[in-house]
Amino acid sequence: MSERRNVPTDRLRYGVVGAGRVFQRFHLPAVTGHPDYALVAICDADPAQARATVGDAGRDAVFTDSLTEFFASGRLDVVAVCTPNDSHVAPVLAALAAGAAVLCEKPLAAGLPDAERIAAAAGTSVLGVNLPYRFHPLLPAFREEIGGPPDRVTLTFTTAGQRLWRPVTKWYGDPARAGGGALLDLGPHALDLLTALFGTPEVVGCRLDGEPVEERVDAEVRFGRTLAHLVVDRAARTMGLTVEAEAGGRTVTLDLRRNEVRAGADVVARSDGAGVERAAIDRFLDAVAGRGGEVVGVAEAVALQRLIEQMYGSAKGVEAP
């Protein structure tokens, strides 16, 4: 069921499929704070709850639980897809067919075949993926302080899991809906950050803990001569994302929780961390609006998902194809 209201025509028309926590926390403030966009359509399994959540920001929007009605509500310039992992394909393909620019949440799909299907359909359309940590302003200072390829890297990514996040629907622990656990959930962020710093990695090995989906990942990848150890734990008691690089007897730390770079115990660079988690969304919206910006491309997201598939295979003792 949908409800039509007055829809503005002087700005780029933005619609979202899936109005859950990710949309509420990151996408909604980004689009409502951008002068070039109007939120005009929201498709969600519970339109009444979505309307209550969005509040006054959606006063001119159509709310519906039907993708058909969503796209029939009027031309959409941008569509954000914030549904569970197994529900990305249909709205992304429909948005591309409608000629909209699309921003999809990571991972691109619950499984690699569907991610590749989306990539094949994208063609020359604007299709981006929300991977923000590559844009952190401290990355250049971290690389400069290291001074060259490190001997060893340790990335540790911990979250308090659903005790803090509390998704609207309980799909994170469902293997069919999520496609995996902590590796597919947080792994794209970790691997994209490492790729931005050191280049494309090769998988060495991976171990997973947890049922029915893993909550902890202990893995190793290699960047040339540099060995990187990944620890991802979404059932931890603390929030944190750090990259420690050992080079020439020194340890340099990029701490994205504290927003600082440390050489040993000394802080050598700081940032206020403002907007870091929204960085890819803001840049995407700017790019579509012609304000510069940058789009994290679908090919990059698929490459990350292939790496993750190799890591799952390594954990199961399966050779990568």
Side-chain angles (χ1 to χ4, degrees):
M1 182 175 106
S2 68
E3 178 182 342
R4 184 178 297 277
R5 301 185 179 183
N6 295 326
V7 178
T9 58
D10 60 337
R11 287 177 287 168
L12 291 167
R13 296 163 57 88
Y14 174 102
V16 61
V17 183
R21 294 283 185 262
V22 170
F23 171 70
Q24 296 165 23
R25 186 171 178 181
F26 304 121
H27 294 257
L28 180 60
V31 71
T32 55
H34 200 295
D36 294 317
Y37 289 89
L39 176 59
V40 299
I42 295 177
C43 183
D44 190 83
D46 189 341
Q49 180 60 46
R51 185 182 294 109
T53 297
V54 172
D56 192 55
R59 63 185 178 276
D60 296 323
V62 171
F63 290 83
T64 179
D65 58 3
S66 164
L67 268 181
T68 300
E69 291 186 20
F70 174 77
F71 286 105
S73 65
R75 186 198 77 254
L76 293 170
D77 298 298
V78 171
V79 173
V81 176
C82 304
T83 54
N85 298 347
D86 68 327
S87 303
H88 287 178
V89 176
V92 169
L93 295 184
L96 292 172
V102 184
L103 178 59
C104 185
E105 271 300 317
K106 58 78 199 166
L108 198 54
L112 182 58
D114 276 340
E116 292 173 333
R117 179 184 170 197
I118 289 173
T124 58
S125 301
V126 178
L127 173 55
V129 182
N130 184 18
L131 291 166
Y133 294 114
R134 63 168 66 188
F135 299 117
H136 198 289
L138 287 177
L139 265 61
F142 179 62
R143 280 192 293 258
E144 182 178 354
E145 191 65 30
I146 296 170
D151 301 314
R152 186 171 177 82
V153 169
T154 302
L155 183 148
T156 305
F157 195 175
T158 60
T159 76
Q162 295 187 34
R163 295 193 307 277
L164 178 66
W165 185 246
R166 299 187 184 184
V168 173
T169 54
K170 296 180 180 180
W171 62 271
Y172 281 90
D174 183 338
R177 302 211 68 191
L183 178 56
L184 189 60
D185 180 21
L186 302 179
H189 287 315
L191 289 167
D192 190 59
L193 176 57
L194 287 176
T195 299
L197 288 167
F198 305 116
T200 303
E202 297 179 1
V203 175
V204 176
C206 183
R207 294 161 296 285
L208 308 174
D209 292 330
E211 292 290 343
V213 296
E214 75 281 354
E215 296 298 331
R216 180 180 170 88
V217 180
D218 195 321
E220 289 184 329
V221 297
R222 185 176 292 280
F223 302 87
R225 69 176 182 83
T226 302
L227 187 66
H229 182 205
L230 277 70
V231 176
V232 179
D233 187 350
R234 65 177 187 182
R237 294 186 175 275
T238 59
M239 301 281 292
L241 177 52
T242 62
V243 183
E244 293 184 345
E246 300 173 19
R250 300 169 66 242
T251 299
V252 181
T253 303
L254 172 65
D255 188 332
L256 299 193
R257 182 66 173 168
R258 295 183 177 180
N259 291 295
E260 61 187 30
V261 175
R262 299 186 296 272
D266 298 326
V267 176
V268 296
R270 278 198 177 99
S271 79
D272 62 11
V276 167
E277 292 182 317
R278 267 179 35 189
I281 301 170
D282 289 332
R283 281 169 167 77
F284 178 89
L285 295 176
D286 281 345
V288 175
R291 292 179 178 267
E294 186 175 346
V295 175
V296 180
V298 65
E300 297 169 274
V302 171
L304 291 175
Q305 201 151 348
R306 288 196 185 107
L307 281 170
I308 288 168
E309 194 77 3
Q310 292 173 20
M311 293 167 85
Y312 274 124
S314 176
K316 296 174 183 176
V318 177
E319 294 251 348

